Amino acid sequence: MESPRFTFNPKEGIDNPAMIISDDNELDVSLLPRLCHLKRLEGQSFGFMLTQQSGGNFEISTVELWSPAEAGGLREGDRVLEVNEEDVGHWDFSRVVKKIQSSGFHLFLLVLGRAELQQALSIGLDLQMLAKASKGDGCSRPRLCHIRRDPELGLGMSVASVEGPKGRYAVSTVPHGPAERAGVHHGDRLIWINGLLVSAITNSALHRTVKRSGDALTVLVVDANSEACYARRKVPILPVMAQGCGLPHSATSMHLVRGDNGYGFLLRQERLAGSRRIVHVLREVDAGSPAAGAGMEDGDLLLAVNGEAVESAEHEDIVQRIRQSGDEVVLTSISVPGRDFFRKLDISPLLFHELTPLTTSAQGGEHFHL
């Protein structure tokens, strides 16, 4: 028997669900995935349990009452198709968990309800195609680009307002200039600049920010078609869903194997100069030790242990995690200037870093509270 034929208008996405299955039987638009935007506060969890089913699929098994997950429209039984605009169909469980944990205060989950999933699979629909149909044709992720000023060309870009609502700006680039080398394209829409949402500042403040940017500038941009796509879906464009392009700092993961005298470093809890913020600092790295051999630098800040983020954890809990890891441990760190860079942008330094646990998840039965 020939499988059902499914067609749709990809250019219009969910605003024009021209979906038919043979014999002109119309497919209910409810079969399209839902995009859930979860927003949490400092120290708050998103309030859901993620479970890996047999076959490697990811399901929401629990949604807590009054949680960001419930407020964002997440439901028990939802199948997770994308995390922050990235397809997770072929990811392992630990990678999905780490992606969610590094999302900061905003998380976007593209999901399909249990009943809708069963119906879609029963008529042979491809889930990736459904995800694409929910967005529209050619909808690309935004780019977070770091532009270094050239002595002659400057930033290699200019910014001008575009027709329509106030606060919308287009970028013009110098061919092969600093902006283009950093990943900015001519005609891109400017969304954020040095951590500021451009639609929330005046035109003069925007140009003042560009002029006073010093040796470098970090911008969040997206192409015009994708900007329209996000607007049609009523989805805010945020750094959490972006691709990183030429960012000057990055986290580093180190795989340490215990030597006769331990790992060869101290972990200290310190207060950052001029701040009330408490950080966990790698200190006194012994020459010739496993820590030194793995590339550990004195003064770097600890971000994760065995793939688990620990910036907000208690010092004693972090020490215990390292001890319980046995003779091997994976530590993820970043320099103080690197942490300051990401903090000014209000995003986690782990967002663009693939965390590596010591072991990988099994195919089924895994669950994690997020």
Side-chain angles (χ1 to χ4, degrees), residues 3 12 40 64 77 87 100 113 124 197 244-245 255 257 261 285 339:
S3 60
E12 296 299 330
R40 66 178 177 182
E64 298 172 4
D87 178 14
I100 294 173
L197 182 63
C245 301
H255 185 181
V257 178
N261 297 314
V285 181
R339 188 65 188 94

Side-chain angles (χ1 to χ4, degrees), residues 176-198:
H176 311 297
E180 284 198 354
R181 292 197 297 268
V184 180
H185 303 159
H186 186 79
D188 274 347
R189 298 302 192 245
L190 181 64
I191 309 300
W192 292 61
I193 182 167
N194 280 355
L196 299 173
L197 182 63
V198 298

Side-chain angles (χ1 to χ4, degrees), residues 8-59:
F8 64 94
N9 185 333
K11 291 186 178 181
E12 296 299 330
I14 61 174
D15 279 358
N16 185 1
M19 303 179 181
I20 37 182
I21 304 177
S22 62
D23 300 328
D24 295 328
N25 292 324
E26 186 176 340
L27 176 65
D28 194 330
V29 69
S30 66
L31 287 186
L32 285 172
R34 310 184 324 273
L35 184 65
C36 300
H37 180 190
L38 282 57
K39 295 172 279 189
R40 66 178 177 182
L41 302 175
E42 181 80 43
Q44 184 183 28
S45 71
F46 286 116
F48 68 91
M49 184 78 73
L50 182 69
T51 299
Q52 183 182 36
Q53 300 176 309
S54 58
N57 301 315
F58 309 112
E59 182 179 283

Side-chain angles (χ1 to χ4, degrees), residues 13 24 57 60 64 97 110 126 179 181 193 217 221 234 246 253 258 265 276 287 305 309 311-312 322 336 362-363:
D24 295 328
N57 301 315
I60 305 300
E64 298 172 4
V97 169
L110 187 69
D126 180 78
R181 292 197 297 268
I193 182 167
L217 186 70
V221 295
K234 297 180 174 58
S253 286
R258 185 188 298 273
F265 74 96
R276 295 183 178 181
V305 175
E311 270 197 290
S312 59
I322 295 174
V336 172
Q363 292 292 306

Side-chain angles (χ1 to χ4, degrees), residues 52-109:
Q52 183 182 36
Q53 300 176 309
S54 58
N57 301 315
F58 309 112
E59 182 179 283
I60 305 300
S61 54
T62 303
V63 175
E64 298 172 4
L65 291 175
W66 313 111
S67 66
E70 184 185 52
L74 206 60
R75 305 168 190 159
E76 292 183 9
D78 282 345
R79 166 81 68 86
V80 178
L81 305 180
E82 293 184 356
V83 175
N84 294 335
E85 297 289 275
E86 289 193 76
D87 178 14
V88 297
H90 299 291
W91 289 18
D92 62 41
F93 186 69
S94 64
R95 185 180 177 188
V96 176
V97 169
K98 305 307 179 273
K99 183 70 174 179
I100 294 173
Q101 288 180 324
S102 66
S103 294
F105 301 127
H106 295 268
L107 173 66
F108 294 90
L109 297 177

Side-chain angles (χ1 to χ4, degrees), residues 74 132 225 236 256 274 301:
L74 206 60
K132 180 179 179 181
N225 180 68
L256 279 62
L301 308 181

